[in-house]
Amino acid sequence: MTAVPALTRSQFGRPAAPVRIVHLGLGNFTRAHQAWYTEHASDRDDWGIAAFTGRRPTMAELLTPQDGLYTLVTKGAEGDSYEVISSVSHVHPASDFAALVRYFASPELAVVTSTVTEAGYYRASDGSLDVADAAVAADLIAVRELLENGAPSVEDIAALQVVTSPVRVMAGLLARRAAGVGPLTILPCDNIPDNGEAFGRVVRDAAAATDSSLVDWMGENVAWATSMVDRITPATTDTEIADVEAAQGYHDAAPVPTEPFSEWVISGQFPAGRPDWESAGVQIVDEVEPYEQRKLWMLNGSHSLMAYAGPILGIETVSEGMADERVRELVQTWWSEAGPGLSVPWEEYAAALVERYENANIRHLLAQIAADGSQKIAVRIVPTLRRFRAQGETPKAAVTAVAAWLLHLRGHGAPVKDAAKDKVVALVGGTLEEDAANVLGFVAPDLAGDTELVRAIAEAAEQLLA
Ligand code: CS2
């Protein structure tokens, strides 16, 4: 048997483009989305991405021997297609903070993108930086200690070891100022409403807590863009690795399965330039919010509903959920509750979602979507709950979503995987009504005293278990 060659840039890819984009939080989603758009931009040879992993260095370990290359496996309902993506020029583990700082100090750097997850913003409930968080507090101390010795050089900053994204970005900006290089754009790509403003706020708070003169510098040199991102991208399995080898004739240790649909809507300024992303299908608009809300409520909201309710009913994946009458009806009800609260049309969007969800060639595990409910429910479900309660009404599917999360925390379905696990697991363990009151108080403090709603959540939990 002849050995299968490894995936390398010289044999299978394009030459590495110069790094002008830094990405924070490299995972499958970014590889199917931002990196794919950059790969398809008309000026792609001018725009390389230096990507940093989240806490786990796995992606750097897998991709570095492949020169940053990987195969995108687009899984349509009718079958798979394969494409080598070359736009990631370098991959670094998060621990290589020095590399991050040096990119920030480079005049070539024009755009910083992020997929650090909702939890990675380290926001307190009012949206400010959560300085009570132990990791944030330790990072701020490290930066303050450095600043006590006078204005640090880029290399002084590069010697820091900070782990929370707001402080990492703030320290990167300190280095950019120290290097005397000009403006850049920070473009968050996380599922958070108004993610540019949300990320800007925590980074500004980190600056205010350490070197307030940086806040002014940021005002003049940092453009915060906002974006809505969308592409359903499950985790990689051995199946994709084997399929790529059979179809492409090389070994890829980290291919990415994704759906054919993709959307990226951006608003913001790019004083240092950006790739010609429009040529790859990106929409540049004045106002992202309506698109963002539609996506967060219709898609992500129904995902979370299924993620918690599905497993209680013995369902493992999104497409299985759509094939189950009870789950499908719940999802349809959810759309009819959330949709009318949007300022843009939603019926066609929902119809398109049905088709995306029914794609059985994508095995999107509900257990994957169930992670980090502590960050997701408030953004995806609660606005609809609020709108109905303001009219004295009780939205069945929204209530069921909260009830299903409650049951998930009580041990039903997939194990709880959550950045705030200790805190949210402690909300449950009493009677269903007590748990419902606690959970509601956590996701929507303003609704905590709504006893009718608490009862409705407890009843919905009972029904799910019936
Ligand atoms: C999902 C998202 O895991 C989740 O919470 O709802 O990752 C979803 O698949 C993407 O936002 C789709 O664009």
Side-chain angles (χ1 to χ4, degrees):
M1 204 177 108
T2 40
V4 181
L7 177 58
T8 54
R9 197 176 280 277
S10 56
Q11 201 175 350
F12 298 101
R14 293 184 290 119
V19 172
R20 301 197 59 203
I21 302 173
V22 155
H23 182 77
L24 305 174
L26 181 69
N28 274 12
F29 181 73
T30 300
R31 300 195 295 143
H33 193 272
Q34 297 94 39
W36 175 80
Y37 279 105
T38 303
E39 179 73 27
H40 285 263
S42 61
D43 51 0
R44 63 186 189 171
D45 293 330
D46 301 332
W47 291 91
I49 301 169
F52 288 78
T53 67
R55 293 274 167 90
R56 278 182 295 137
T58 321
M59 201 55 81
E61 289 161 5
L62 294 174
L63 291 188
T64 301
Q66 303 183 173
D67 307 318
L69 267 62
Y70 59 90
T71 315
L72 191 68
V73 185
T74 305
K75 301 179 81 72
E78 308 302 323
D80 301 347
S81 63
Y82 303 88
E83 180 185 8
V84 174
I85 306 293
S86 296
S87 54
V88 178
S89 296
H90 297 284
V91 185
H92 302 269
S95 58
D96 191 359
F97 183 65
L100 182 68
V101 167
R102 291 182 194 123
Y103 287 123
F104 265 92
S106 157
E108 299 280 297
L109 183 70
V111 181
V112 177
T113 51
S114 79
T115 48
V116 294
T117 79
E118 296 89 338
Y121 283 53
Y122 291 92
R123 292 187 299 168
S125 54
D126 65 352
S128 64
L129 180 66
D130 186 4
V131 289
D133 179 275
V136 171
D139 279 358
L140 292 175
I141 289 173
V143 175
R144 273 192 215 111
E145 277 173 3
L146 176 71
L147 294 171
E148 269 165 20
N149 307 322
S153 69
V154 171
E155 285 309 305
D156 292 336
I157 299 166
L160 277 171
Q161 265 307 341
V162 285
V163 298
T164 59
S165 10
V167 181
R168 285 163 74 82
V169 169
M170 184 270 285
L173 295 172
L174 272 177
R176 195 166 180 86
R177 182 179 66 175
V181 278
L184 88 177
T185 295
I186 301 186
L187 169 60
C189 304
D190 298 282
N191 286 323
I192 292 183
D194 209 354
N195 48 24
E197 176 46 35
F199 202 31
R201 173 143 185 219
V202 288
V203 175
R204 269 193 303 275
D205 285 353
T210 48
D211 177 353
S212 54
S213 69
L214 188 68
V215 178
D216 299 334
W217 184 88
M218 281 167 58
E220 275 159 32
N221 291 281
V222 182
W224 294 94
T226 288
S227 78
M228 185 281 275
V229 295
D230 191 7
R231 194 167 204 181
I232 291 170
T233 307
T236 307
T237 66
D238 290 343
T239 310
E240 281 88 42
I241 298 180
D243 288 352
V244 166
E245 194 160 311
Q248 299 279 88
Y250 55 72
H251 177 73
D252 180 349
V256 187
T258 195
E259 64 170 338
F261 180 93
S262 186
E263 207 167 26
W264 195 5
V265 185
I266 301 176
S267 80
Q269 303 300 314
F270 291 83
R274 60 166 167 81
D276 175 19
W277 279 322
E278 292 99 319
S279 61
V282 174
Q283 299 170 64
I284 308 287
V285 301
D286 291 335
E287 189 62 78
V288 171
E289 204 189 333
Y291 301 91
E292 205 164 37
Q293 260 181 356
R294 184 169 66 184
K295 194 257 172 173
L296 283 170
W297 298 355
M298 305 295 280
L299 190 156
N300 298 110
S302 60
H303 257 178
S304 291
L305 171 62
M306 278 191 273
Y308 304 120
I312 298 169
L313 306 171
I315 309 289
E316 242 189 305
T317 66
V318 171
S319 63
E320 278 171 32
M322 291 314 274
D324 178 280
E325 220 173 295
R326 248 179 105 177
V327 174
R328 191 183 175 105
E329 201 191 302
L330 256 181
V331 167
Q332 300 276 12
T333 306
W334 161 251
W335 286 334
S336 67
E337 290 170 2
L342 292 162
S343 62
V344 286
W346 58 275
E347 284 93 343
E348 268 179 37
Y349 187 87
L353 276 181
V354 171
E355 207 171 300
R356 293 169 69 189
Y357 286 178
E358 280 177 342
N359 179 355
N361 194 22
I362 291 267
R363 225 181 117 64
H364 199 186
L365 292 175
L366 294 175
Q368 180 184 344
I369 302 168
D372 283 340
S374 67
Q375 312 289 317
K376 293 174 178 173
I377 303 284
V379 163
R380 301 175 176 194
I381 307 289
V382 170
T384 297
L385 216 47
R386 240 175 229 136
R387 185 168 56 83
F388 273 76
R389 293 311 290 156
Q391 295 156 6
E393 289 169 28
T394 307
K396 177 171 176 274
V399 164
T400 304
V402 178
W405 185 51
L406 180 164
L407 292 175
H408 170 71
L409 297 177
R410 280 168 73 115
H412 296 271
V416 177
K417 227 180 124 207
D418 202 301
K421 182 174 171 186
D422 294 347
K423 210 178 197 175
V424 290
V425 167
L427 298 171
V428 300
T431 65
L432 275 182
E433 275 210 22
E434 285 163 359
D435 289 4
N438 287 340
V439 163
L440 184 61
F442 178 84
V443 294
D446 53 311
L447 296 177
D450 186 340
T451 47
E452 200 178 314
L453 183 56
V454 168
R455 248 192 323 272
I457 294 170
E459 272 164 27
E462 259 164 34
Q463 276 170 22
L464 278 169
L465 293 176

